[in-house]
Amino acid sequence: MSSEFVIKKRPKESEAIIYLGKDKIAKIEKHEGFTFKLITYKDKQEWVLSNLVHGQRRPFSYAVLKTAQKTPDDGEKEIQTGQEVFVVREQLFKHNGKFYMLASHPEGKSWTDYVNSSTRYVSRLDSFPYSNLSDIDHEHYKLRHKIKRFRGTPVGEATGLGQDEGGHRLRLDNELADIGLFIAAISYLLYASG
């Protein structure tokens, strides 16, 4: 089984709608500075998406931060708690003890096929040599040059741009279902919103 997300840019430049199958499930709105808000339609739950990851603005990186609702008496609608719920750091993320990579070169695909394809793969990196995302900083300069050489088992695919009629499409295997909304929003922001 897999989940199919479609993200389409709204006429307002700062907003996109996320569909799961045919159902509208969430929207992305421009927020303060370089951040975005992810808001579900069903329960109005909100998160802040920021490219400020572990104290630094990083390329191909986003942190999903929990927000807390305030009561109307407080005069403010929300506060950012800053608690990280999910992190993609330089295309890498960890989930259930396993590492994954966005826009990776999957095992079994030739370099030419990968480069000439408009499909971006989400891969599980079963032989990744680190145990935590923070370990990557210690090897950052060495790793930066070889990060694209990591190959893994494909567990998802992304295609299309948000402003196209078909939108940005992301298919994810069930092992990523519980974080699929976050991956869909980040994939759109990193690769398809331009």
Side-chain angles (χ1 to χ4, degrees):
M1 290 290 292
S2 63
S3 301
E4 174 97 13
F5 295 89
V6 178
I7 304 93
K8 294 183 178 182
K9 188 180 272 193
R10 294 282 306 249
K12 284 173 59 177
E13 288 293 315
S14 62
E15 191 173 298
I17 304 297
I18 301 175
Y19 298 83
L20 180 57
K22 295 183 188 283
D23 300 326
K24 274 187 191 180
I25 61 166
K27 65 182 175 178
I28 301 169
E29 294 179 346
K30 183 80 175 107
H31 194 46
E32 301 167 355
F34 298 104
T35 65
F36 296 87
K37 264 200 224 177
L38 177 61
I39 306 163
T40 58
Y41 285 113
K42 185 177 180 179
D43 58 7
K44 306 292 186 221
Q45 193 166 0
E46 297 183 8
W47 298 271
V48 171
L49 305 171
S50 172
N51 69 349
L52 187 64
V53 175
H54 302 149
Q56 293 181 316
R57 295 210 187 280
R58 297 173 181 268
F60 301 105
S61 303
Y62 269 96
V64 179
L65 307 170
K66 195 174 197 174
T67 62
Q69 297 296 325
K70 282 189 163 186
T71 61
D73 301 272
D74 292 335
E76 290 184 33
K77 186 178 174 198
E78 69 178 36
I79 57 168
Q80 182 174 316
T81 66
Q83 178 187 359
E84 289 180 347
V85 178
F86 179 70
V87 173
V88 171
R89 188 169 167 163
E90 298 187 36
Q91 297 178 311
L92 299 166
F93 63 94
K94 190 173 183 181
H95 181 62
N96 290 334
K98 298 176 184 173
F99 278 94
Y100 297 84
M101 185 173 179
L102 299 175
S104 80
H105 180 175
E107 293 172 350
K109 290 269 185 196
S110 74
W111 181 250
T112 305
D113 290 341
Y114 170 70
V115 170
N116 292 332
S117 172
S118 62
T119 302
R120 289 174 203 85
Y121 295 91
V122 179
S123 296
R124 185 180 60 247
L125 305 175
D126 294 324
S127 58
F128 195 66
Y130 300 96
S131 57
N132 294 304
L133 283 176
S134 60
D135 294 342
I136 295 165
D137 275 349
H138 301 296
E139 300 279 330
H140 179 72
Y141 294 105
K142 290 185 224 170
L143 180 64
R144 192 104 172 110
H145 296 291
K146 63 183 178 181
I147 201 162
K148 284 293 192 178
R149 294 185 187 144
F150 289 115
R151 294 175 135 204
T153 304
V155 294
E157 302 179 351
T159 58
L161 298 176
Q163 63 264 24
D164 292 345
E165 188 173 314
H168 178 63
R169 297 183 166 279
L170 177 70
R171 185 204 52 80
L172 292 172
D173 289 355
N174 273 349
E175 67 188 78
L176 298 174
D178 56 333
I179 56 171
L181 178 61
F182 298 147
I183 297 170
I186 291 170
S187 178
Y188 169 78
L189 292 171
L190 289 177
Y191 306 112
S193 61

